[in-house]
Amino acid sequence: MTRDILKKKIGQRIVELREEKGWSQSDLARACLKDRQSIEKIENGKVNSTIYSLLEVATALDISLSKLLDFE
């Protein structure tokens, strides 16, 4: 799996989990103290997120990091 494919899969997974909660990008951004544009970049696979950033997103979604990364 290439880096770009991995970033896109993680982003798609975040969108899926966010939408399950009925949240907008702004809702998720507020919950993890980020700006909406940061969430948009993560979801679109435009950034190589740190593991800590992904942990912040997972915590905001009230899931484990392993659940966030369970996309295969």
Side-chain angles (χ1 to χ4, degrees):
M1 180 178 313
T2 68
R3 181 183 305 204
D4 287 339
I5 291 172
L6 180 60
K7 290 188 300 185
K8 286 184 188 299
K9 284 184 177 270
I10 290 171
Q12 290 167 350
R13 180 71 173 146
I14 292 170
V15 170
E16 173 186 310
L17 293 164
R18 174 178 59 75
E19 288 178 346
E20 282 178 12
K21 289 184 92 63
W23 283 8
S24 67
Q25 286 180 340
S26 295
D27 294 330
L28 178 55
R30 276 190 295 277
C32 56
L33 305 176
K34 296 186 178 302
D35 57 57
R36 191 200 55 78
Q37 291 83 1
S38 295
I39 298 300
E40 179 182 16
K41 288 176 185 175
I42 293 169
E43 289 184 351
N44 290 325
K46 293 180 180 175
V47 294
N48 191 16
S49 299
T50 65
I51 196 74
Y52 188 76
S53 254
L54 295 177
L55 178 61
E56 288 177 314
V57 170
T59 300
L61 291 168
D62 197 30
I63 60 170
S64 66
L65 184 57
S66 61
K67 182 171 181 176
L68 176 70
L69 298 175
D70 184 20
F71 49 78
E72 291 195 76

